[in-house]
Amino acid sequence: MNAQLRKLWESRSPRDRVIIAALAAIVGAMLYLSLVISAYRARAQLGTSVSVLRGQALHLDADARELERARAAPAAPAPQSDLRTQVQAQAGASGLASAVARIDARDADHVEVVFGSVPFADWLAWVASLQAQRIRLETSRIEALKTPGLVSVTATFARSKPQ
């Protein structure tokens, strides 16, 4: 095969050989430049990906530290009273006892609270105070009243289970 290529090459005139060699050099240079340009573009894309991944890694590290902190936190104390009593006491402490229409205990770990008319901001603050006591909002239905800022609320709360 090598002998045939040599014979074909030598059968060409010196002018043809120069032209073929020059074209081969140009094609080779163009292929090399296209590879360099492709590599440069890929490097730039990878550079932006690396910065995004570093940010995600920092966020993941922060989440891992938060998870370790949460796992190291002491377990929730056993409830001292039933859930209905706790919710009613928190409503009184927050100044919302007069707005409570009724509080019904579904079972030992669930209670339904109905507010006739309560300021929405006070409702949100009350829910946050219950969550601080490991009582979570399970379901709610909130309806705006004609008076701006006042709402009617029906909500179900549940005692958070220790993990």
Side-chain angles (χ1 to χ4, degrees):
M1 181 84 177
N2 196 11
Q4 289 177 344
L5 287 176
R6 181 173 285 172
K7 187 176 180 182
L8 182 64
W9 179 255
E10 290 174 356
S11 70
R12 302 280 179 194
S13 67
R15 181 176 177 241
D16 288 346
R17 286 187 222 164
V18 170
I19 291 173
I20 291 171
L23 287 176
I26 291 172
V27 168
M30 289 176 59
L31 287 173
Y32 178 76
L33 285 175
S34 70
L35 287 173
V36 168
I37 291 171
S38 294
Y40 180 76
R41 286 183 183 157
R43 182 179 173 269
Q45 288 176 346
L46 288 174
T48 58
S49 296
V50 166
S51 63
V52 169
L53 289 172
R54 282 184 181 151
Q56 290 175 346
L58 290 174
H59 185 69
L60 186 61
D61 287 342
D63 288 348
R65 284 191 301 276
E66 176 65 22
L67 181 61
E68 287 173 6
R69 187 192 64 75
R71 286 183 176 163
Q80 301 299 324
S81 62
D82 70 317
L83 185 60
R84 184 181 186 283
T85 306
Q86 280 183 292
V87 170
Q88 194 167 16
Q90 191 61 36
S94 297
L96 299 178
S98 62
V100 174
R102 73 174 197 273
I103 300 177
D104 297 326
R106 289 185 176 174
D107 57 39
D109 292 326
H110 293 85
V111 67
E112 183 179 69
V113 181
V114 177
F115 286 93
S117 173
V118 63
F120 186 67
D122 293 347
W123 155 256
L124 289 177
W126 184 66
V127 170
S129 68
L130 287 174
Q131 287 176 341
Q133 296 181 15
R134 298 186 185 258
I135 300 171
R136 64 181 164 81
L137 177 64
E138 198 167 75
T139 62
S140 66
R141 190 189 83 224
I142 302 173
E143 296 177 7
L145 299 177
K146 290 185 179 186
T147 306
L150 293 181
V151 293
S152 169
V153 179
T154 302
T156 302
F157 291 92
R159 187 183 318 270
S160 295
K161 303 286 183 201
Q163 293 155 343

